[in-house]
Amino acid sequence: MDQFSTARLTAERLRADHLADLIALHLDPDVSRYLGGVRSAEVTKTYLATNMAHWDQHGFGLWALRTKDGAFAGRAGIRHILVDGVDEIEIAYTFKREFWGQGLASEIAVALTDIGLSRLELFSLIGLVFVAHGASRRVLEKANYLLEKHTTHHGEDVVIYRIRR
């Protein structure tokens, strides 16, 4: 499933030509605050390669998000992640600052959940969120994820939300 659309977004499988957009996204300190901090161009290049390899290995991964007029809006996806020694599958979403507060994260979270549970027939999905990131927590709650636990991930206090098929 290389592409899909929501009411206001189009999503395309992450490719090498998305690098410049991702670098700009990851260099924004406000955007990166809940991603573990600003990422250099080199770190983002490695991130892109890792996520493209995820697609090759699992048949799903991250998508670049664009508005209907073609503007890069962010990235989102479904990917494997190791949490507390367990291989989990998470939904993830990150938007450029100019797109915050418009309900796009909720729109994409619902779409990712449907893709993961219905199309990919995954048993469950998680959302991993910094404890202090209230907006992202509300997105998961609106998408019917339930708070499962508090834990530490890469030295940060996080919460895990889960939804099951």
Side-chain angles (χ1 to χ4, degrees), residues 61-95:
L62 293 182
W63 290 269
L65 303 175
R66 297 196 180 278
T67 61
K68 294 298 182 177
D69 66 5
F72 177 76
R75 61 167 172 80
I78 303 169
R79 63 187 176 192
H80 285 265
I81 183 173
L82 196 62
V83 181
D84 294 338
V86 177
D87 180 22
E88 298 278 9
I89 302 176
E90 76 162 342
I91 66 165
Y93 41 85
T94 301
F95 286 88

Side-chain angles (χ1 to χ4, degrees), residues 76-164:
I78 303 169
R79 63 187 176 192
H80 285 265
I81 183 173
L82 196 62
V83 181
D84 294 338
V86 177
D87 180 22
E88 298 278 9
I89 302 176
E90 76 162 342
I91 66 165
Y93 41 85
T94 301
F95 286 88
K96 289 173 63 178
R97 201 172 356 157
E98 68 198 73
F99 296 104
W100 292 359
Q102 300 176 30
L104 293 173
S106 292
E107 187 174 310
I108 203 69
V110 168
L112 293 171
T113 301
D114 181 60
I115 290 165
L117 298 181
S118 298
R119 294 186 192 176
L120 298 175
E121 298 181 344
L122 300 169
F123 177 70
S124 75
L125 297 167
I126 67 163
L128 184 145
V129 184
F130 279 43
V131 169
H133 195 353
S136 193
R137 294 179 71 166
R138 284 188 296 282
V139 164
L140 291 169
E141 290 163 0
K142 283 194 266 183
N144 296 315
Y145 284 68
L146 299 175
L147 179 61
E148 183 173 279
K149 67 179 180 175
H150 288 71
T151 190
T152 303
H153 187 72
H154 297 298
E156 300 289 345
D157 290 331
V158 298
V159 287
I160 306 293
Y161 285 80
R162 184 179 303 276
I163 192 167
R164 298 182 192 283

